């Protein structure tokens, strides 16, 4: 199952959730991330936090969601937005009409640099909690309705 995680800048929240889903859901899901207006670089504290927890960050990169609308792009089963601005934007038409869900999380990159450790930790914990709950609730071969139910059920966890 392929999941695309969207945020406006694709530098923090979407990068965190991509790494979490790829590690926690290894063999069950393949996550990708992108942004509607990508910053072009992954936030340095995203990489610091992920590396400290043993996540592989070699492929982490900030990229446009346009990459995933191309004919040779992987077909997405689900699209998760993690910021309100990306959730409200008009997304490209994704091949296969994937299920959509919103898992809003405060932007840790918007915090003052001195507050990054706490802000990123808060975002990470919430995204990790939602990802684990989603993976635990996910059926082995979910229908689109099952997938949407599982995504929506955990999107409001705090």
């Amino acid at each position: 199952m392929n999941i695309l995680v969207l945020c406006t800048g694709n530098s923090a929240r979407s990068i965190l959730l991509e790494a979490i889903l790829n590690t926690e859901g290894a063999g069950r899901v393949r996550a990708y991330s992108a942004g509607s207006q990508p910053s072009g670089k992954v936030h340095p504290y995203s990489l610091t936090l992920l590396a400290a927890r043993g996540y592989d960050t070699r492929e982490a990169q900030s990229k446009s969601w346009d990459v995933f609308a191309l004919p040779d792009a992987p077909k997405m089963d689900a699209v998760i937005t993690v910021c309100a601005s990306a959730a409200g934007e008009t997304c490209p038409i994704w091949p296969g009409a994937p299920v959509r869900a919103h898992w809003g999380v405060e932007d840790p990159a918007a915090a003052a640099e001195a507050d990054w450790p706490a802000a990123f930790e808060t975002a990470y914990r919430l995204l990790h909690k939602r990802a684990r709950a989603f993976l635990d609730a996910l059926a082995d071969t979910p229908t689109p309705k099952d997938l949407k139910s599982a995504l929506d059920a955990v999107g409001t966890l705090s």
Side-chain angles (χ1 to χ4, degrees):
M1 171 181 316
N2 291 326
I3 298 174
L4 179 58
V5 183
L6 296 179
C7 198
T8 304
N10 189 217
S11 70
R13 294 166 286 185
S14 52
I15 297 291
L16 296 175
L17 186 54
E18 175 186 18
I20 293 165
L21 286 170
N22 281 331
T23 299
E24 299 288 329
R28 295 181 68 200
V29 301
R30 173 65 172 109
Y32 303 86
S33 69
S36 58
Q37 299 170 31
S39 67
K41 61 184 174 71
V42 176
H43 193 285
Y45 207 85
S46 294
L47 298 173
T48 298
L49 182 143
L50 291 170
R53 287 175 173 70
Y55 290 92
D56 183 358
T57 60
R58 289 176 290 179
E59 293 185 29
Q61 60 177 311
S62 177
K63 58 202 158 301
S64 172
W65 64 12
D66 294 338
V67 170
F68 296 97
L70 297 173
D72 62 341
K75 178 186 168 284
M76 294 300 150
D77 298 290
V79 174
I80 302 171
T81 53
V82 290
C83 66
S85 58
E89 291 176 336
T90 301
C91 292
I93 302 299
W94 308 111
V99 170
R100 292 189 52 149
H102 179 64
W103 291 4
V105 175
E106 290 293 321
D107 185 6
E113 187 172 349
D115 297 327
W116 285 350
F120 274 83
E121 181 63 31
T122 298
Y124 170 83
R125 277 195 316 251
L126 182 54
L127 291 167
H128 188 271
K129 180 179 184 176
R130 290 177 179 173
R132 276 290 359 135
F134 165 69
L135 292 167
D136 289 346
L138 190 61
D140 288 337
T141 54
T143 66
K145 184 178 177 181
D146 295 336
L147 180 56
K148 176 73 171 149
S149 293
L151 288 166
D152 287 347
V154 301
T156 58
L157 288 178
S158 55

